[in-house]
Amino acid sequence: MVAGLLATAPSQAQTFDPRYPVCMHVYSGANGGGGEWYDCSFTSLPQCRATASGRSAICDPNPYYPAYAPPQRYRLRRSG
């Protein structure tokens, strides 16, 4: 019966937004449930740490942020 309930319960996938380099890992409701989640909407560690200050949260680099983007190559057009 428990397996049946777990199979029908909706599941939510955690996503990391690859557009931002820093994520805040928020812990909530240790004794009362609540769970934890990631907020990947920060452009720097200091920005994230300022938001996390006073909360049960830590800031980490986003594991899905592309650390290296290949340089763009531009073609020169010659007229004539």
Side-chain angles (χ1 to χ4, degrees):
M1 179 153 162
V2 173
L5 290 174
L6 292 175
T8 60
S11 63
Q12 183 177 5
Q14 175 66 52
T15 59
F16 293 86
D17 190 341
R19 295 176 297 170
Y20 297 96
V22 180
C23 296
M24 179 173 60
H25 188 178
V26 181
Y27 305 92
S28 68
N31 294 331
E36 56 189 70
W37 70 92
Y38 288 89
D39 176 5
C40 297
S41 61
F42 300 96
T43 57
S44 69
L45 279 171
Q47 177 193 30
C48 179
R49 288 179 182 147
T51 304
S53 178
R55 300 174 71 180
S56 180
I58 60 170
C59 297
D60 295 314
N62 185 346
Y64 296 99
Y65 184 75
Y68 171 77
Q72 295 286 333
R73 289 190 166 185
Y74 296 100
R75 288 186 184 185
L76 295 175
R77 288 187 181 183
R78 295 183 183 188
S79 59

